[in-house]
Amino acid sequence: MNLFETEFLFCILSGLFLFHTLSRISEEGKRNDLIFHWIFITVFGFLITEGIKKWGIRSEIWNTDSVFAYITKTNLLLFLCHSSLEERWFSFQPFRRFFVSIFLFLFWVGVLFGIHFFQTTILAQDNTLILPFAISLGAFVWMREMFWPLERADKQELTYDSSRFVYLSFLPIAFLVLSPWKADVQFYSYVSNFLFYGIASSVGFFLVSKWKKEEVSSASEIGIWMGTLAFSSCLGTEILVVLPLAFLSGIFGRLLYSYLASLRWSEPGIRGVLSFLYPAILGVFLPFLLAEPNLWVHSPYVLLGVQVLYFLSFYLVACFSFGIILFFKQK
């Protein structure tokens, strides 16, 4: 496939993010409200980006050179916007809700520029450029569970997602549209590896659930995200080396699920931490274990400092941004 066909395919694939988000919302009015904000942000953002380009201001990170690439990135960021707050987003008054939506979208666009800074200036060890999204979203989930817990009556009802396993397996792949390997002839072999990482992690997660004889809401989604995100920074490593570790990460993730459940965390909170924050922490440090030393971008101690800075930068900025959103919260 050429680059145009790849971007078109990923544009279609990214639409599954929005479909999956809407499938979690039971009330038609809330779905319509969310769709309106999505359409407004997509269209308005396109017009603003085009207008800026006419003035001679252009960015390699966020542009409309390819409409399919623009829509793909927008869909991914809209998914992240909603996942940052989930049901809490509907608790804002309509006027405040609009500004929170814009603020969140600009935050995630800023994450794109932050990724570019780290990859061009500091050189973090991250093959797919996905980890900052997982780190930031994990920070949002952690902060909202700590400082904005939902009342039981407001908690989102989660359903078992075993029937969605097929399309959930392909969700994280859409983020590879940001990968520097997108135009590489081996790109789709990397895509297949990415898919197997998630499946191996899911098998480990399901195995512990079967052993404990406990069903877990969103088990498929958690398992897929854990494997793909945790090992995204080592994409390209021999797959036979990675798959057993992905399997073990799923087992440990299921045990962590039981621990958080014993602390009476909400289901969306557990899902968010295990799907994003837990694999992001693994992904930051796994290159020390899986990447060949000659492929490290820095000497060992420098690389350790850079990876810690990589994690803390996005984590702390996300926490600060969540703090700003709390000012919009109704008293």
Side-chain angles (χ1 to χ4, degrees):
M1 286 189 178
N2 58 37
L3 185 58
F4 176 82
E5 292 170 332
T6 297
E7 289 178 342
F8 175 74
L9 177 62
F10 274 65
C11 180
I12 301 300
L13 187 60
S14 68
L16 291 176
F17 278 97
L18 306 188
F19 169 77
H20 182 58
T21 299
L22 292 174
S23 68
R24 292 208 201 110
I25 302 172
S26 58
E27 297 181 28
E28 186 65 25
K30 290 182 177 180
R31 283 200 294 264
N32 290 336
D33 193 20
L34 194 57
I35 290 173
F36 170 77
H37 281 80
W38 285 348
I39 294 174
F40 176 83
I41 289 174
T42 302
V43 175
F44 187 70
F46 181 86
L47 295 175
I48 290 294
T49 307
E50 277 287 291
I52 291 176
K53 188 167 69 174
K54 296 297 183 183
W55 282 80
I57 303 174
R58 187 180 179 280
S59 170
E60 293 294 333
I61 304 166
W62 190 260
N63 58 63
T64 55
D65 293 348
S66 169
V67 175
F68 294 129
Y70 171 81
I71 293 176
T72 301
K73 291 178 182 179
T74 302
N75 287 348
L76 297 179
L77 298 192
L78 290 174
F79 164 77
L80 292 169
C81 287
H82 180 73
S83 299
S84 301
L85 297 178
E86 293 196 342
E87 284 294 302
R88 293 162 181 81
W89 183 76
F90 297 106
S91 67
F92 292 107
Q93 295 175 353
F95 185 72
R96 293 185 179 184
R97 194 182 305 161
F98 173 79
F99 282 102
V100 169
S101 297
I102 298 297
F103 175 80
L104 279 173
F105 188 78
L106 291 176
F107 166 78
W108 288 112
V109 172
V111 170
L112 281 174
F113 284 89
I115 294 171
H116 179 73
F117 171 77
F118 268 94
Q119 294 303 321
T120 58
T121 305
I122 301 180
L123 299 180
Q125 189 87 28
D126 184 6
N127 288 348
T128 57
L129 315 183
I130 298 175
L131 283 181
F133 295 106
I135 295 168
S136 301
L137 185 54
F140 266 99
V141 173
W142 184 272
M143 292 293 288
R144 78 189 190 203
E145 287 298 314
M146 293 294 103
F147 300 102
W148 194 355
L150 287 177
E151 298 294 332
R152 183 168 297 274
D154 297 328
K155 288 185 178 179
Q156 185 179 5
E157 293 294 327
L158 297 181
T159 57
Y160 297 101
D161 62 350
S162 56
S163 61
R164 305 174 184 173
F165 180 79
V166 175
Y167 84 78
L168 286 173
S169 301
F170 291 92
L171 273 186
I173 293 173
F175 277 98
L176 290 179
V177 75
L178 304 171
S179 170
W181 295 334
K182 187 172 59 174
D184 195 292
V185 292
Q186 293 184 320
F187 176 68
Y188 283 95
S189 68
Y190 296 138
V191 168
S192 63
N193 289 351
F194 212 56
L195 179 63
F196 280 116
Y197 297 166
I199 292 175
S201 177
S202 293
V203 171
F205 195 91
F206 279 120
L207 186 65
V208 177
S209 295
K210 292 295 183 183
W211 176 66
K212 294 171 68 69
K213 296 181 180 179
E214 295 176 0
E215 296 295 332
V216 175
S217 298
S218 301
S220 298
E221 182 177 0
I222 293 172
I224 291 295
W225 280 115
M226 277 196 300
T228 51
L229 293 178
F231 298 92
S232 64
S233 59
C234 302
L235 189 60
T237 303
E238 178 61 44
I239 191 170
L240 293 179
V241 176
V242 176
L243 289 182
L245 295 175
F247 177 76
L248 291 176
S249 73
I251 292 177
F252 185 77
R254 179 60 181 86
L255 298 177
L256 185 58
Y257 182 101
S258 298
Y259 173 72
L260 293 177
S262 69
L263 299 179
R264 299 188 181 279
W265 274 46
S266 68
E267 288 284 352
I270 298 175
R271 170 168 47 80
V273 167
L274 291 183
S275 298
F276 301 106
L277 189 58
Y278 161 63
I281 294 172
L282 289 179
V284 166
F285 298 105
L286 275 175
F288 290 98
L289 177 65
L290 296 177
E292 294 290 338
N294 63 321
L295 298 178
W296 292 356
V297 294
H298 299 287
S299 61
Y301 290 111
V302 174
L303 181 60
L304 177 61
V306 169
Q307 294 299 95
V308 171
L309 179 64
Y310 193 49
F311 177 86
L312 289 179
S313 296
F314 290 101
Y315 184 88
L316 294 177
V317 171
C319 291
F320 177 74
S321 299
F322 182 82
I324 294 175
I325 291 174
L326 284 181
F327 282 108
F328 290 92
K329 179 185 173 185
Q330 281 86 345
K331 304 298 182 181

